[in-house]
Amino acid sequence: MRDYAVLIFLLACIIAAWKKPWWGVLSLAVFSYLNPHAYAWGFVRSLPVYYVLFLVVAFRTFTSKDKQPLPKDWRIPVFVMLWIGFAISSTQAYFPDIAWQRFWMVTKIYLPFYFTLVLINTRYKLYSLIITIAASIGIVAVKGGLFAILKGFSARVYGPPNTQFEENNAFAVAMLISVPLLLLWQKETLNPWIKKGIPMSIPIIYAASLSSWSRGALLTMGVLTLMLIFNSKRKYLIIPIVFIGAFFAKDYLPQEWFGRMNTIETYQKDSSAMSRIEAWTDGWNHTLEHPFVGAGFEGWLFVTQRDWHSSYVEMFSEHGFIAFGLWLSLILGTLVSLTNIPKKTQNVVGMEWVINYCFMLRASLICYMVGTAFLGLSYWDLLYHLIFISVLLKKIVFEELAVIESKQIKSR
């Protein structure tokens, strides 16, 4: 029964993508983050669902008239240069077969962003993409939070099967990244159920993140909470709620959980933490010797004893300092862009929505930066979705500003 339900959903997504290609962009996001066919038990589980949908969207993108040229934004050529850097480093990798296999997998992750950039050409479409990503992660996050609460936080929460954040630590960070996107949805929607439901879901998502037993997620949660408090107009209400929630949560969290979190301060005594530091040191020293190409994809197998466990270390260790500079410029440049855009729309009637979009997207990106400092997720599609959503946001904001200015000139 479950297989047929997933199959019907897939067919609905294909029909939607055929009718309106930008709906296909939303469908690809659903299958990237929710991965519904992985919850099937029978024949549907083994179907190449994502690739079928990808081919439909690709065909309809090239035949559709409802699309735009690639936005003229510096981040797009930098992204292409980064991908070329991956190809160059793969030619020099210690394990060529593994490196090229990984390269093509990353390429498959990156290709759908072309559809995003040319098909998401209005504010409504951009809003729809954001809430689709938020809902896809939010659904499984709430499911995981309820599971955590019922189990008394004794069992770890994992992400959807066969996704990039199936692992508990990665899923914890993904859930926290989704929180600002959900709050963006909550502020922009007119649906009263959504407006009331999202604030109720946030504590449940926090519970799921706590039950991942991830130390990186705990740090990310702290940073996210501070950002949300700072941005809130009801600090007098939010701060007491945070303290009350923390007070009650500590009584339900098992002692083993506190023991694991305490290793943040006593990392010298924790073998896992020390092995990460050793891997980071090995990666840094190796990159100093090979600054232009690094070790290639999965180079840790040659350089050190374990996975990099840091997106930053992963990027410069596998591809060298030039690729790392390109990658980091995409992230930091997007943060700068999201900070500067609201300055262009200050006191402009009808552009009040921009501040909310920019703050929440920036908060999600900062969550990524904090959370993946301890996780090797530099090729994560969620990161590039945030970057390209910001690219599209900038384009749409400037187009709307141009329309407003032209109307003002005509009215004089």
mmCIF file of all heavy atoms in Angstrom, residues 337-365:
data_model
loop_
_atom_site.group_PDB
_atom_site.id
_atom_site.type_symbol
_atom_site.label_atom_id
_atom_site.label_comp_id
_atom_site.label_asym_id
_atom_site.label_seq_id
_atom_site.Cartn_x
_atom_site.Cartn_y
_atom_site.Cartn_z
ATOM 1 N N SER A 337 25.988 39.773 0.807
ATOM 2 C CA SER A 337 24.855 40.158 -0.046
ATOM 3 C C SER A 337 23.554 40.225 0.747
ATOM 4 O O SER A 337 22.775 41.185 0.620
ATOM 5 C CB SER A 337 24.719 39.156 -1.198
ATOM 6 O OG SER A 337 23.585 39.432 -1.988
ATOM 7 N N LEU A 338 23.311 39.224 1.588
ATOM 8 C CA LEU A 338 22.083 39.198 2.389
ATOM 9 C C LEU A 338 22.062 40.307 3.434
ATOM 10 O O LEU A 338 20.990 40.712 3.904
ATOM 11 C CB LEU A 338 21.942 37.835 3.070
ATOM 12 C CG LEU A 338 21.663 36.660 2.135
ATOM 13 C CD1 LEU A 338 21.781 35.336 2.879
ATOM 14 C CD2 LEU A 338 20.281 36.787 1.491
ATOM 15 N N THR A 339 23.233 40.798 3.811
ATOM 16 C CA THR A 339 23.315 41.925 4.741
ATOM 17 C C THR A 339 23.062 43.243 4.033
ATOM 18 O O THR A 339 22.429 44.157 4.587
ATOM 19 C CB THR A 339 24.700 41.950 5.428
ATOM 20 O OG1 THR A 339 24.907 40.717 6.118
ATOM 21 C CG2 THR A 339 24.792 43.096 6.431
ATOM 22 N N ASN A 340 23.530 43.350 2.791
ATOM 23 C CA ASN A 340 23.437 44.623 2.060
ATOM 24 C C ASN A 340 22.101 44.841 1.360
ATOM 25 O O ASN A 340 21.664 45.986 1.191
ATOM 26 C CB ASN A 340 24.562 44.705 1.027
ATOM 27 C CG ASN A 340 25.930 44.871 1.668
ATOM 28 O OD1 ASN A 340 26.037 45.372 2.791
ATOM 29 N ND2 ASN A 340 26.979 44.460 0.985
ATOM 30 N N ILE A 341 21.447 43.768 0.936
ATOM 31 C CA ILE A 341 20.188 43.916 0.181
ATOM 32 C C ILE A 341 19.140 44.724 0.951
ATOM 33 O O ILE A 341 18.501 45.617 0.375
ATOM 34 C CB ILE A 341 19.634 42.531 -0.233
ATOM 35 C CG1 ILE A 341 20.520 41.901 -1.300
ATOM 36 C CG2 ILE A 341 18.202 42.653 -0.755
ATOM 37 C CD1 ILE A 341 20.134 40.475 -1.662
ATOM 38 N N PRO A 342 18.905 44.442 2.257
ATOM 39 C CA PRO A 342 17.882 45.223 2.971
ATOM 40 C C PRO A 342 18.178 46.724 3.017
ATOM 41 O O PRO A 342 17.250 47.539 3.131
ATOM 42 C CB PRO A 342 17.909 44.621 4.390
ATOM 43 C CG PRO A 342 18.436 43.242 4.210
ATOM 44 C CD PRO A 342 19.442 43.353 3.110
ATOM 45 N N LYS A 343 19.451 47.101 2.913
ATOM 46 C CA LYS A 343 19.798 48.525 2.910
ATOM 47 C C LYS A 343 19.266 49.225 1.670
ATOM 48 O O LYS A 343 18.991 50.424 1.701
ATOM 49 C CB LYS A 343 21.325 48.696 2.990
ATOM 50 C CG LYS A 343 21.946 48.130 4.272
ATOM 51 C CD LYS A 343 23.460 48.235 4.245
ATOM 52 C CE LYS A 343 24.072 47.597 5.497
ATOM 53 N NZ LYS A 343 25.560 47.629 5.475
ATOM 54 N N LYS A 344 19.116 48.464 0.581
ATOM 55 C CA LYS A 344 18.591 49.032 -0.665
ATOM 56 C C LYS A 344 17.081 49.242 -0.604
ATOM 57 O O LYS A 344 16.532 50.016 -1.403
ATOM 58 C CB LYS A 344 18.913 48.084 -1.830
ATOM 59 C CG LYS A 344 20.385 47.730 -1.981
ATOM 60 C CD LYS A 344 21.186 48.877 -2.521
ATOM 61 C CE LYS A 344 22.628 48.442 -2.796
ATOM 62 N NZ LYS A 344 23.457 49.546 -3.315
ATOM 63 N N THR A 345 16.419 48.525 0.315
ATOM 64 C CA THR A 345 14.958 48.576 0.334
ATOM 65 C C THR A 345 14.396 49.316 1.554
ATOM 66 O O THR A 345 13.198 49.282 1.787
ATOM 67 C CB THR A 345 14.393 47.144 0.320
ATOM 68 O OG1 THR A 345 14.838 46.443 1.495
ATOM 69 C CG2 THR A 345 14.852 46.399 -0.918
ATOM 70 N N GLN A 346 15.279 49.938 2.322
ATOM 71 C CA GLN A 346 14.809 50.672 3.501
ATOM 72 C C GLN A 346 13.832 51.780 3.094
ATOM 73 O O GLN A 346 14.081 52.523 2.150
ATOM 74 C CB GLN A 346 15.998 51.291 4.252
ATOM 75 C CG GLN A 346 16.724 50.309 5.145
ATOM 76 C CD GLN A 346 17.836 50.975 5.945
ATOM 77 O OE1 GLN A 346 18.319 52.041 5.582
ATOM 78 N NE2 GLN A 346 18.252 50.350 7.031
ATOM 79 N N ASN A 347 12.735 51.840 3.816
ATOM 80 C CA ASN A 347 11.725 52.895 3.614
ATOM 81 C C ASN A 347 11.069 52.848 2.241
ATOM 82 O O ASN A 347 10.501 53.837 1.791
ATOM 83 C CB ASN A 347 12.349 54.284 3.830
ATOM 84 C CG ASN A 347 12.986 54.426 5.203
ATOM 85 O OD1 ASN A 347 12.447 53.966 6.205
ATOM 86 N ND2 ASN A 347 14.159 55.057 5.245
ATOM 87 N N VAL A 348 11.163 51.696 1.557
ATOM 88 C CA VAL A 348 10.494 51.532 0.267
ATOM 89 C C VAL A 348 9.195 50.778 0.502
ATOM 90 O O VAL A 348 9.206 49.625 0.951
ATOM 91 C CB VAL A 348 11.381 50.774 -0.744
ATOM 92 C CG1 VAL A 348 10.630 50.595 -2.066
ATOM 93 C CG2 VAL A 348 12.687 51.507 -0.966
ATOM 94 N N VAL A 349 8.077 51.415 0.219
ATOM 95 C CA VAL A 349 6.768 50.800 0.445
ATOM 96 C C VAL A 349 6.601 49.570 -0.452
ATOM 97 O O VAL A 349 6.887 49.612 -1.649
ATOM 98 C CB VAL A 349 5.638 51.824 0.153
ATOM 99 C CG1 VAL A 349 4.266 51.167 0.343
ATOM 100 C CG2 VAL A 349 5.773 53.035 1.060
ATOM 101 N N GLY A 350 6.166 48.481 0.139
ATOM 102 C CA GLY A 350 5.957 47.248 -0.599
ATOM 103 C C GLY A 350 7.149 46.313 -0.599
ATOM 104 O O GLY A 350 7.061 45.186 -1.106
ATOM 105 N N MET A 351 8.264 46.759 -0.008
ATOM 106 C CA MET A 351 9.468 45.919 0.021
ATOM 107 C C MET A 351 9.820 45.483 1.434
ATOM 108 O O MET A 351 10.957 45.067 1.700
ATOM 109 C CB MET A 351 10.650 46.677 -0.603
ATOM 110 C CG MET A 351 10.432 47.103 -2.043
ATOM 111 S SD MET A 351 10.257 45.687 -3.174
ATOM 112 C CE MET A 351 11.924 45.090 -3.251
ATOM 113 N N GLU A 352 8.866 45.536 2.331
ATOM 114 C CA GLU A 352 9.139 45.180 3.727
ATOM 115 C C GLU A 352 9.518 43.695 3.883
ATOM 116 O O GLU A 352 10.213 43.322 4.823
ATOM 117 C CB GLU A 352 7.912 45.492 4.589
ATOM 118 C CG GLU A 352 7.536 46.962 4.660
ATOM 119 C CD GLU A 352 6.719 47.442 3.459
ATOM 120 O OE1 GLU A 352 6.371 46.584 2.599
ATOM 121 O OE2 GLU A 352 6.426 48.642 3.381
ATOM 122 N N TRP A 353 9.056 42.867 2.973
ATOM 123 C CA TRP A 353 9.311 41.432 3.032
ATOM 124 C C TRP A 353 10.784 41.090 2.908
ATOM 125 O O TRP A 353 11.226 40.029 3.366
ATOM 126 C CB TRP A 353 8.533 40.721 1.916
ATOM 127 C CG TRP A 353 8.908 41.179 0.534
ATOM 128 C CD1 TRP A 353 8.394 42.255 -0.131
ATOM 129 C CD2 TRP A 353 9.869 40.584 -0.345
ATOM 130 N NE1 TRP A 353 8.980 42.368 -1.379
ATOM 131 C CE2 TRP A 353 9.884 41.357 -1.524
ATOM 132 C CE3 TRP A 353 10.710 39.483 -0.242
ATOM 133 C CZ2 TRP A 353 10.720 41.062 -2.599
ATOM 134 C CZ3 TRP A 353 11.549 39.183 -1.311
ATOM 135 C CH2 TRP A 353 11.531 39.971 -2.466
ATOM 136 N N VAL A 354 11.566 41.983 2.306
ATOM 137 C CA VAL A 354 12.967 41.692 2.006
ATOM 138 C C VAL A 354 13.773 41.450 3.282
ATOM 139 O O VAL A 354 14.624 40.556 3.333
ATOM 140 C CB VAL A 354 13.583 42.841 1.178
ATOM 141 C CG1 VAL A 354 15.082 42.615 0.976
ATOM 142 C CG2 VAL A 354 12.877 42.959 -0.161
ATOM 143 N N ILE A 355 13.510 42.226 4.319
ATOM 144 C CA ILE A 355 14.275 42.096 5.568
ATOM 145 C C ILE A 355 14.101 40.701 6.156
ATOM 146 O O ILE A 355 15.076 40.069 6.602
ATOM 147 C CB ILE A 355 13.827 43.163 6.585
ATOM 148 C CG1 ILE A 355 14.169 44.563 6.060
ATOM 149 C CG2 ILE A 355 14.480 42.943 7.937
ATOM 150 C CD1 ILE A 355 13.686 45.689 6.951
ATOM 151 N N ASN A 356 12.886 40.211 6.156
ATOM 152 C CA ASN A 356 12.616 38.880 6.705
ATOM 153 C C ASN A 356 13.325 37.795 5.898
ATOM 154 O O ASN A 356 13.964 36.896 6.461
ATOM 155 C CB ASN A 356 11.109 38.629 6.713
ATOM 156 C CG ASN A 356 10.736 37.284 7.313
ATOM 157 O OD1 ASN A 356 11.292 36.868 8.329
ATOM 158 N ND2 ASN A 356 9.800 36.592 6.690
ATOM 159 N N TYR A 357 13.230 37.877 4.578
ATOM 160 C CA TYR A 357 13.889 36.888 3.724
ATOM 161 C C TYR A 357 15.397 36.881 3.983
ATOM 162 O O TYR A 357 16.009 35.817 4.146
ATOM 163 C CB TYR A 357 13.633 37.200 2.242
ATOM 164 C CG TYR A 357 12.365 36.620 1.676
ATOM 165 C CD1 TYR A 357 11.118 36.988 2.175
ATOM 166 C CD2 TYR A 357 12.400 35.720 0.621
ATOM 167 C CE1 TYR A 357 9.951 36.481 1.645
ATOM 168 C CE2 TYR A 357 11.235 35.202 0.078
ATOM 169 C CZ TYR A 357 10.012 35.580 0.591
ATOM 170 O OH TYR A 357 8.867 35.068 0.064
ATOM 171 N N CYS A 358 15.990 38.072 3.999
ATOM 172 C CA CYS A 358 17.446 38.161 4.125
ATOM 173 C C CYS A 358 17.924 37.663 5.483
ATOM 174 O O CYS A 358 18.919 36.931 5.568
ATOM 175 C CB CYS A 358 17.906 39.602 3.897
ATOM 176 S SG CYS A 358 17.817 40.119 2.168
ATOM 177 N N PHE A 359 17.219 38.031 6.542
ATOM 178 C CA PHE A 359 17.663 37.602 7.866
ATOM 179 C C PHE A 359 17.563 36.094 8.010
ATOM 180 O O PHE A 359 18.490 35.442 8.512
ATOM 181 C CB PHE A 359 16.849 38.273 8.966
ATOM 182 C CG PHE A 359 17.208 37.762 10.335
ATOM 183 C CD1 PHE A 359 18.300 38.275 11.013
ATOM 184 C CD2 PHE A 359 16.483 36.735 10.933
ATOM 185 C CE1 PHE A 359 18.669 37.777 12.260
ATOM 186 C CE2 PHE A 359 16.839 36.230 12.177
ATOM 187 C CZ PHE A 359 17.927 36.762 12.842
ATOM 188 N N MET A 360 16.453 35.512 7.585
ATOM 189 C CA MET A 360 16.255 34.077 7.776
ATOM 190 C C MET A 360 17.204 33.257 6.909
ATOM 191 O O MET A 360 17.744 32.236 7.360
ATOM 192 C CB MET A 360 14.799 33.707 7.490
ATOM 193 C CG MET A 360 13.805 34.290 8.483
ATOM 194 S SD MET A 360 14.201 33.831 10.206
ATOM 195 C CE MET A 360 12.973 34.786 11.104
ATOM 196 N N LEU A 361 17.442 33.686 5.680
ATOM 197 C CA LEU A 361 18.397 32.979 4.831
ATOM 198 C C LEU A 361 19.810 33.090 5.406
ATOM 199 O O LEU A 361 20.578 32.121 5.393
ATOM 200 C CB LEU A 361 18.362 33.542 3.404
ATOM 201 C CG LEU A 361 17.119 33.200 2.585
ATOM 202 C CD1 LEU A 361 17.094 34.004 1.295
ATOM 203 C CD2 LEU A 361 17.075 31.703 2.267
ATOM 204 N N ARG A 362 20.130 34.267 5.922
ATOM 205 C CA ARG A 362 21.450 34.454 6.538
ATOM 206 C C ARG A 362 21.592 33.590 7.785
ATOM 207 O O ARG A 362 22.653 32.985 8.017
ATOM 208 C CB ARG A 362 21.655 35.929 6.880
ATOM 209 C CG ARG A 362 23.065 36.283 7.325
ATOM 210 C CD ARG A 362 23.195 37.785 7.474
ATOM 211 N NE ARG A 362 22.252 38.285 8.464
ATOM 212 C CZ ARG A 362 21.816 39.551 8.504
ATOM 213 N NH1 ARG A 362 22.209 40.421 7.601
ATOM 214 N NH2 ARG A 362 20.979 39.926 9.432
ATOM 215 N N ALA A 363 20.541 33.492 8.568
ATOM 216 C CA ALA A 363 20.577 32.647 9.771
ATOM 217 C C ALA A 363 20.789 31.188 9.395
ATOM 218 O O ALA A 363 21.568 30.471 10.033
ATOM 219 C CB ALA A 363 19.283 32.821 10.564
ATOM 220 N N SER A 364 20.117 30.725 8.352
ATOM 221 C CA SER A 364 20.299 29.339 7.899
ATOM 222 C C SER A 364 21.724 29.100 7.435
ATOM 223 O O SER A 364 22.325 28.054 7.723
ATOM 224 C CB SER A 364 19.323 29.018 6.759
ATOM 225 O OG SER A 364 17.995 28.922 7.233
ATOM 226 N N LEU A 365 22.289 30.068 6.718
ATOM 227 C CA LEU A 365 23.652 29.925 6.219
ATOM 228 C C LEU A 365 24.662 29.910 7.370
ATOM 229 O O LEU A 365 25.633 29.142 7.350
ATOM 230 C CB LEU A 365 23.965 31.060 5.248
ATOM 231 C CG LEU A 365 25.210 30.905 4.369
ATOM 232 C CD1 LEU A 365 25.184 29.581 3.611
ATOM 233 C CD2 LEU A 365 25.323 32.076 3.403
#
